[in-house]
Amino acid sequence: MNGTETGDEPQTPLTVSMGSRRVPVPKPPRGGGHLPTVEEVSAGGVVIRPAAQGFEAAIIARYNRGGRLEWCLPKGHPENDEDFEQAAVREVEEETGIAGSILTSLGSIEYWFTVPTHRVHKTVHHFLLEAVGGELTTENDPDHEAVDVAWVNLHDLERTLSFPNERRIVNAAQQVIADTL
């Protein structure tokens, strides 16, 4: 799909972004650079529900700092004394409207990005969650980062998610599901 409407199909952020590839996350500058490094930690996950064919996962769309639409897994920073599991459950519900129950850890991903004043080294802890209630909405996202939310079949996430590291997390989720559910 090229981001234009075809026939009578409505154009949504999901249909616009399906099939398009994203620019890789920039690596930190070599030689130490002059910008200070800040460590950030987030937690989130793959929240699933049974579908006609396999399982679906709730994902969110947000605009990056450059104004580009990105489809990604819900995630965010732990608040107060939350552990990573508690933060993942809360963030998934805030960003998608779906209440989830942790099934297992899917591992962590790390990446770097740069903002005008510093470099950020971010670690995101991901979990597999089972949807136990709620309805898709972005209305409860306190940061208003999520502009859309959708249920997408796990097998379609390879071409929907914007980032390769999140696609690897989904592959881990698929393996866990194949081995245990």
Side-chain angles (χ1 to χ4, degrees), residues 51-124:
Q53 294 182 8
F55 290 88
E56 295 175 319
I59 62 172
I60 63 165
R62 64 182 178 87
Y63 288 101
N64 68 16
R65 289 177 178 90
R68 185 177 191 144
L69 186 72
E70 300 171 332
W71 282 93
C72 51
L73 299 173
K75 64 184 172 300
H77 301 281
E79 295 180 356
N80 304 317
D81 294 331
E82 283 181 325
D83 62 25
F84 297 139
E85 288 185 357
Q86 293 166 329
V89 168
R90 179 185 49 75
E91 286 290 341
V92 164
E93 188 165 6
E94 284 179 358
E95 293 188 350
T96 68
I98 303 301
S101 175
I102 299 275
L103 297 174
T104 191
S105 172
L106 294 173
S108 301
I109 59 176
E110 295 180 57
Y111 54 94
W112 292 83
F113 60 95
T114 303
V115 296
T117 58
H118 57 276
R119 295 180 304 162
V120 178
H121 176 230
K122 188 162 189 171
T123 303
V124 184

Side-chain angles (χ1 to χ4, degrees), residues 2-66:
N2 62 11
T4 61
E5 292 185 19
T6 57
D8 295 322
E9 298 171 358
Q11 190 176 26
T12 68
L14 179 61
T15 58
V16 169
S17 66
M18 292 280 290
S20 62
R21 293 293 175 204
R22 303 293 182 245
V23 176
V25 175
K27 292 188 166 95
R30 296 181 195 261
H34 297 340
L35 293 176
T37 298
V38 174
E39 298 288 330
E40 284 189 10
V41 178
S42 290
V46 180
V47 59
I48 60 169
R49 71 176 185 184
Q53 294 182 8
F55 290 88
E56 295 175 319
I59 62 172
I60 63 165
R62 64 182 178 87
Y63 288 101
N64 68 16
R65 289 177 178 90

